[in-house]
Every structure is written in structure tokens, then in C-alpha cells.
Amino acid sequence: MRRWVFVLMLGFFLVAQAGAAVITVDSVRTTLPHRSPDGYYFAAPDENHTVTVYFTVADTNVEDSSAINLSQKDCSGGTSLVGTADISNLAPGAHFTTFSVTEPNCPFDTLWDTLKVEVTHHSDTVNYSESTLVVLVRESPLRVDTVYSSLPNVEEEDSNIDYHANMSQTHQVFVRVVASADVPADRDTVYLFNRDCLGAYGLAGQYVLPAMSADETLLVTFDITEPNCASDLMDSLRVIVSGYDAPSYGTGDTLVVSVEKPGSLVVDNVVAVADTEFAGYNEPFFTMGQQFYLAVVLRNAGSGRVDDINVRLSSSSVYGCSSYFDTLTAFDTSLSGGDTCVLLIPIVADTINHGGTGTTDDEIFQVTVSGTDANNLGDCGVGYTDDDDSIGIVMPPSLHLIGVDGYGPAYTGEVNDWGNPIPWMNFWDPAELVFYIYSDTGDYAVVDSIADYTSFVDLFKDGAVVPGISGNESPSA
């Protein structure tokens, strides 16, 4: 009887085992980028990374209430739970689960953190091909102190931008690395990344650090060419010091460069005007000796800024006209991308009328424009929709008084020898005199306002001025 009981119990045990799943932890991986030849990883205090556990389920589904747990060391030397992943009822096959890990920030310099994987279950079989990761947690003795560029156009207003550059412009990036402790050679690398036209980061350069002593500073130089994209790009130059001694990013490790279509000036219009308000008078005619202005309308067809705009002016005349102007006018003007401005060059018309009668091409003025590309300090491109204008030079108006009519109160108490009433007036009576003025035709300026001319009236009788008198009686004598 006892024999049969033993056999039955053994058979029950074998059936239970045959129905259990086999869970195998195949590997444990981290996103920490640096691993020593001895197999451990490097991290900085408070550094975040992801641990992935790859495992396989065989034979049958995992039983209920099964889980994969990840633990790590804490600053006291004990262990703490990072997280738990429920794997209940998983079907046979390859699986993985992930954990977010933050390395401890302890009050001492170095912590050897052990990340351990453990499967909790009831009766499933568990095998471990790999179950732990070892991480050396410490402050990096290397840090990035400053990053700067040789680009001349430093942004001074927008705090989100450091520099401006043209598309395809080459410049140097300087990285100052500081060591707080002795660092062996060839264990750490300075990497420089920048964005491409799609905004993705790519490696632009790398430099393996030599041995550095405590408190030593090293300046690393990279040559970089900004991308040539179809449109403007906000490039982010990112510096990373990475290796056995530098598990995390340094400080001050990013430069933002606005990569732009080079600034390019276009002269849209050149026109002679009588004043700076563009009020409009009798242009293109100007009186001998009159000051006027040549207005040059400029547009920046690029995206980069243009500084130090200069205008060279020359003139020609088949009649021998020669007005007075500066041949080079330097404007303390900057023109941002897409903006337009008007530059005014003062000119004094020739004081001698050499020109033809009524012609508008007595003198022709032509401009040549130049400017400085603020991004590379070279000459900017210049195009011309218009580059000249012509004027006619005329003499001042020639006026003649050809008649006068008088209107006022007439007291008809007296008549002349022909029986006609003699108009007269008291000195307080109003009177209106109408003058008829003639302006000579020909190469003369147009009279714009008679009110600007001075006039006066005297009454004469027998060659003597007649004064007004009071009263209502007729004037005496």
C-alpha cells in the first residue's frame, strides 16, 4: 500500500512540473553610452538612463502573479526597488520590458551601483543568462567650461540665438575643457554635433583628449561648415565630453547659430526729389543753384543683415552741366533681411544753365552701391532694378508786371472834366488792387507761389505821394 501511494505522489509532481513555464532572462542592457573594458558602466549622480530586460518564455504561459523586478543600491549600501513589470500569463516567445533608472546622488565621491534583475513566481522555472549591471557613479573630473565661435556676427538682443552665419559659411568652434583631477590620456573624447537641413543631429567633429592634470585647461578647436539648405535653419552646435571619466554632458555645451541666406542689396529705384518729404514740386526740373536730393531706394533680398552701406555717385551731361555733390556717401545704416530703406544724397544744381531748353536730361546721375555682409564681414551682393535718374536745369522765373486794376468805394460827389465821377476813398476804407503778371516762357522755372514775392503800393499825383486824410470830404489838392 505504501508503495502505490509513493508512485502516485511522484506522478502528481511530474505532471505539475511539466505544466510550468520556463522563463529565461537573456540579457540586461542600459542606454548609458560608456562601458569600461572590465564590463561596468559610467554614470553621473542623478543621471537618468533606461534599463531593458530581454527574456524568453518557453513551454506554456507564465503563471499568474509573476513579475520581473529591478533593484539598485542606495547611498546607505542597501538596496531599493527601481520598478516591477507584471509578466503574468505571457505566452511563449521573446519579450522585453524597460525600467527608468536615476542614479543616486550620494554625499561621497563614488558609488558602485548594482542593478539586479529578479523574477518572482510560484512554480515556473527561471534561468538567468545575465541578471546584473554594475555602474560606477561619480562626478566627472572633466567639464566643458565655455564654447564659442569665430563668427563675427554675435547676437546681442535675442537670448535664444548666439551667432548668425551664412549658408555654407565655415567657422571655428572653440571648446574649453577643464579637469578637476588627473585624467589619463585617450580615455575621453570631445564630440561636436550640428543639425542638418532636416533638423537631425550629425557628428561634425571629435577630439580624443590627452592626459590632463588637475586644474588644467585645454582649448579644443573644430572647423565646421554650416549646411546649405533651401531655407533658413536654426543650427544647434552641441558639445559633449564623453568617456570613462566623463559620463555625462558638460556645462555650457550648446551654441545656437541662425544660418541664413546671405544679405544681398537690390537698388529698386533712383529718383531726384526736391525735398526729404517727397512733397512733389516740379521734378525733374530744378532751378540753377537749387539744393535737391537723389533718393536711392534699397531692399535687402537676403536674410542676413547688411551693414556699412556706401553709395558712389557720378554724373554725365552732353550739355556740360555739372552739379555739386559728394562722390562717395557713407551711411551708418544697417538693413536687416527683407527690409527696405531710402537713402538721400544732397545735390546742388549747376549754377550755370548749360542745358537745353525744356530738356529733362541736362544731367544724368548714376549710383553704385556697396555694403558689408554682417555674417562674414565681406562685400555683400548687389543687384540693380534701377541705377540712374536725369534732371533738367532751368533759370529762375522771369516775371513782368503788365497791368493793374483797382477796386474800392467811390464817392461820386466830384466829376472830372468829362463828367465822369472821380473815385476816392477815406484812409480807413478797404481797397483791392489786381496786378497782372507775366512769366517768361522758355527755360525758366515754374512759379510755385506768388505769395512768396514782396509787393508794395504808393499813390502819386504830379510826382508826389498823396497821403490819406480823415473825414468824409473829398481829398484836398
Side-chain angles (χ1 to χ4, degrees):
M1 183 70 179
R2 293 179 181 175
R3 178 182 177 186
W4 282 104
V5 170
F6 174 77
V7 171
L8 287 174
M9 292 178 63
L10 179 61
F12 179 78
F13 176 77
L14 292 174
V15 170
Q17 286 295 92
V22 177
I23 304 170
T24 302
V25 177
D26 299 308
S27 62
V28 185
R29 296 290 181 264
T30 175
T31 55
L32 290 172
H34 307 296
R35 189 178 187 184
S36 76
D38 296 326
Y40 58 85
Y41 290 86
F42 297 89
D46 292 323
E47 185 165 359
N48 298 315
H49 60 105
T50 300
V51 171
T52 303
V53 179
Y54 297 90
F55 62 99
T56 304
V57 177
D59 295 345
T60 187
N61 288 3
V62 177
E63 62 187 350
D64 289 338
S65 302
S66 297
I68 293 180
N69 303 306
L70 181 68
S71 62
Q72 71 177 147
K73 279 192 175 182
D74 57 28
C75 295
S76 65
T79 60
S80 60
L81 183 65
V82 174
T84 297
D86 185 10
I87 61 172
S88 301
N89 300 311
L90 276 182
H95 304 276
F96 70 90
T97 186
T98 60
F99 298 89
S100 295
V101 179
T102 300
E103 293 300 332
N105 189 346
C106 301
F108 42 86
D109 293 337
T110 300
L111 171 72
W112 288 95
D113 186 11
T114 300
L115 298 165
K116 185 175 182 179
V117 175
E118 184 178 8
V119 179
T120 57
H121 62 98
H122 294 290
S123 59
D124 290 332
T125 301
V126 178
N127 300 314
Y128 295 94
S129 296
E130 185 177 28
S131 63
T132 59
L133 290 177
V134 178
V135 180
L136 173 58
V137 183
R138 66 174 182 178
E139 289 285 357
S140 171
L142 294 170
R143 66 181 178 87
V144 176
D145 181 60
T146 53
V147 181
Y148 59 98
S149 169
S150 62
L151 289 169
N153 191 358
V154 180
E155 175 60 46
E156 297 179 354
E157 297 181 1
D158 190 340
S159 60
N160 296 317
I161 299 175
D162 296 304
Y163 297 91
H164 295 262
N166 291 334
M167 297 175 181
S168 300
Q169 183 172 348
T170 297
H171 60 104
Q172 290 184 312
V173 175
F174 303 96
V175 181
R176 182 175 286 114
V177 180
V178 178
S180 60
D182 292 346
V183 176
D186 303 331
R187 300 209 319 180
D188 302 278
T189 303
V190 181
Y191 297 95
L192 176 65
F193 298 88
N194 75 324
R195 295 185 186 274
D196 60 20
C197 294
L198 298 179
Y201 276 109
L203 182 63
Q206 64 185 56
Y207 178 81
V208 178
L209 290 174
M212 295 182 67
S213 303
D215 299 325
E216 182 180 351
T217 298
L218 179 68
L219 188 64
V220 181
T221 303
F222 295 99
D223 292 323
I224 184 170
T225 299
E226 295 296 339
N228 185 9
C229 304
S231 58
D232 294 352
L233 171 73
M234 200 63 68
D235 190 9
S236 180
L237 302 177
R238 191 174 186 183
V239 175
I240 298 174
V241 178
S242 187
Y244 299 145
D245 304 291
S248 62
Y249 300 157
T251 57
D253 58 354
T254 301
L255 290 182
V256 178
V257 179
S258 176
V259 184
E260 304 154 345
K261 179 182 177 182
S264 178
L265 296 177
V266 176
V267 182
D268 283 329
N269 195 18
V270 178
V271 59
V273 294
D275 64 13
T276 59
E277 301 300 323
F278 299 87
Y281 290 98
N282 194 37
E283 298 98 332
F285 293 102
F286 297 94
T287 305
M288 295 184 305
Q290 177 184 351
Q291 177 171 299
F292 63 98
Y293 300 89
L294 196 67
V296 181
V297 182
L298 288 179
R299 172 172 50 90
N300 187 345
S303 302
R305 192 180 77 239
V306 175
D307 296 334
D308 304 327
I309 299 174
N310 296 327
V311 179
R312 292 190 177 275
L313 179 60
S314 61
S315 73
S316 59
S317 173
V318 296
Y319 304 101
C321 298
S322 180
S323 297
Y324 305 94
F325 54 83
D326 291 330
T327 57
L328 175 62
T329 304
F331 293 90
D332 186 17
T333 299
S334 293
L335 197 60
S336 298
D339 286 354
T340 297
C341 70
V342 179
L343 306 180
L344 297 171
I345 303 173
I347 302 175
V348 176
D350 195 344
T351 56
I352 301 175
N353 183 19
H354 297 284
T357 301
T359 56
T360 59
D361 62 349
D362 289 345
E363 191 168 7
I364 301 171
F365 299 94
Q366 187 171 39
V367 299
T368 302
V369 175
S370 63
T372 300
D373 186 324
N375 290 346
N376 61 17
L377 302 185
D379 293 335
C380 72
V382 180
Y384 295 88
T385 304
D386 185 20
D387 69 347
D388 63 14
D389 194 27
S390 60
I391 66 169
I393 300 176
V394 295
M395 294 179 290
S398 178
L399 302 178
H400 304 278
L401 181 65
I402 60 173
V404 180
D405 281 337
Y407 301 91
Y411 299 95
T412 56
E414 296 186 7
V415 296
N416 59 18
D417 294 339
W418 297 273
N420 297 320
I422 302 174
W424 61 279
M425 60 190 298
N426 294 303
F427 78 94
W428 61 77
D429 289 327
E432 182 179 282
L433 297 176
V434 178
F435 298 87
Y436 295 93
I437 300 174
Y438 173 76
S439 177
D440 283 339
T441 60
D443 211 21
Y444 293 96
V446 173
V447 179
D448 51 5
S449 176
I450 295 295
D452 292 338
Y453 293 87
T454 303
S455 60
F456 61 92
V457 176
D458 280 334
L459 301 179
F460 290 87
K461 180 179 180 181
D462 298 332
V465 177
V466 178
I469 61 173
S470 300
N472 294 320
E473 69 275 10
S474 301
S476 62

